[in-house]
Amino acid sequence: MTVPTPPQSVTVRVPAKVNVQLGVGGRRADGFHDLANVFFAVALGDEVTATPADTLRITVSGPDADQVPLDGSNLAARAARLLARRHGRRPDVHLHIAKEIPVAGGMAGGSADGAAALVACDALWGTATPFGTLLELAAELGSDVPFALLGGVALGRGRGEILEPLPAGGTFHWVFAVADGGLSTPAVFRECDRLRDEAGTGSDTAAVPDPQPDPALLDALAAGDPVALAAALGNDLQPAALSLRPALAGTLRAGADGGALGTLVSGSGPTCAFLTKDAESAAAVAAALTASGTCRSVRVTHGPVPGATVTGRR
């Protein structure tokens, strides 16, 4: 029997996400918050290429590459070590990350790279890890990593790692406005708690009801109806992101004035997301945002798209 020759490199493409609904429950005793998190994968994505090496090494190219850590804290490096430990081998691999997803932009770029590294290393090493096991490993890495593996549209419960795939009835067109600098996700959650306490509503689980997915939003996704989806978009972290970065209000206003059907801060921000009627409308919104001077760059994309996928072997 012929033994297959192991690949010399494996490239995986992985999508960014936007949270079309991000319902945030009260602060739990462990400091986390229960979520009703409707993830939506978009075609804007990173590529991670794994090649054999004498030790674990990370390199990065693309926008904001200088902001990506190259040490053991990088989620792609952590993913390689975790998968190697599961299979009793050394994590000797060179992972090159070609960035398109904004860094610290609320679109889960680091989590996406962790998911891509799991898939790329598994293919490179021939470890044939079952998908369910990859999802378990992804959840160990972070709340958003499992969705980057799954892709499409899904409801995330718990911290966002317990996923239920959701139907989407068509293609939706998006524009993303990238801000200068990033926002720390833990800082945005802390600000969310602070604003709730300041308003007198309380911020712990006793004071904040468990978040639930919006039936109107789920219906709009299933029907492929961008107008209905735009009306149902929601992000409980948006007031906190705007509190920490007030200039984002101008970006959201510019996109709305430019013709977007719906606007919201993506996840914990500071990237802003704009849902449009079609590709032509997306181009018009992108032009308006660029002319407004309220953001550093603009990306036009669509979705939903699959999760981390092998796109090349050699």
Side-chain angles (χ1 to χ4, degrees), residues 101 152 275:
I101 305 173
L275 181 62

Side-chain angles (χ1 to χ4, degrees), residues 185-297:
T185 297
V188 175
F189 273 98
R190 286 194 298 270
E191 182 68 0
C192 177
D193 292 338
R194 189 191 71 79
L195 291 175
R196 286 172 170 176
D197 286 335
E198 185 177 76
T201 58
S203 59
D204 62 13
T205 53
V208 181
D210 287 340
Q212 300 297 328
D214 180 355
L217 181 135
L218 301 185
D219 288 346
L221 284 167
D225 185 341
V227 175
L229 179 59
L233 295 173
N235 180 1
D236 287 352
L237 291 180
Q238 182 162 312
L242 290 173
S243 175
L244 295 173
R245 192 71 69 84
L248 296 180
T251 308
L252 293 171
R253 190 163 50 249
D257 291 346
L261 295 174
T263 71
L264 81 168
V265 173
S266 179
S268 58
T271 301
C272 293
F274 303 89
L275 181 62
T276 69
K277 180 181 178 182
D278 50 31
E280 183 178 357
S281 301
V285 171
L289 284 164
T290 300
S292 75
T294 61
C295 55
R296 177 161 58 93
S297 62

Side-chain angles (χ1 to χ4, degrees), residues 8-257:
Q8 290 305 299
S9 75
V10 175
T11 297
V12 172
R13 184 162 181 86
V14 64
K17 61 83 180 167
V18 59
N19 307 97
V20 291
Q21 179 188 349
L22 182 49
V24 179
R27 184 181 61 254
R28 305 186 322 205
D30 63 3
F32 288 102
H33 301 69
D34 284 323
L35 305 176
N37 193 352
V38 181
F39 292 104
F40 187 109
V42 295
L44 176 67
D46 288 353
E47 285 189 344
V48 174
T49 299
T51 55
D54 295 331
T55 188
L56 175 58
R57 185 164 68 96
I58 304 289
T59 56
V60 185
S61 63
D64 304 327
D66 59 337
Q67 299 177 35
V68 179
L70 303 181
D71 59 14
S73 68
N74 186 293
L75 270 173
R78 290 174 53 198
R81 291 199 307 270
L82 188 62
L83 184 68
R85 187 161 60 245
R86 173 59 65 103
H87 292 287
R89 59 170 296 143
R90 289 178 53 83
D92 295 336
V93 64
H94 171 207
L95 295 171
H96 180 75
I97 303 169
K99 292 296 295 180
E100 285 185 8
I101 305 173
V103 176
M107 300 185 74
S111 297
D113 296 340
L118 284 175
V119 174
C121 289
D122 190 51
L124 183 72
W125 296 337
T127 40
T129 310
F131 187 71
T133 302
L134 289 177
L135 284 174
E136 293 171 7
L137 296 174
E140 290 186 43
L141 292 168
S143 302
D144 289 342
V145 183
F147 177 71
L149 278 178
L150 185 66
V153 182
L155 171 63
R157 296 283 203 174
R159 293 181 288 111
E161 81 282 11
I162 304 167
L163 296 175
E164 175 191 340
L166 296 173
T171 297
F172 295 85
H173 297 271
W174 293 91
V175 180
F176 292 95
V178 181
D180 278 316
L183 274 176
S184 158
T185 297
V188 175
F189 273 98
R190 286 194 298 270
E191 182 68 0
C192 177
D193 292 338
R194 189 191 71 79
L195 291 175
R196 286 172 170 176
D197 286 335
E198 185 177 76
T201 58
S203 59
D204 62 13
T205 53
V208 181
D210 287 340
Q212 300 297 328
D214 180 355
L217 181 135
L218 301 185
D219 288 346
L221 284 167
D225 185 341
V227 175
L229 179 59
L233 295 173
N235 180 1
D236 287 352
L237 291 180
Q238 182 162 312
L242 290 173
S243 175
L244 295 173
R245 192 71 69 84
L248 296 180
T251 308
L252 293 171
R253 190 163 50 249
D257 291 346

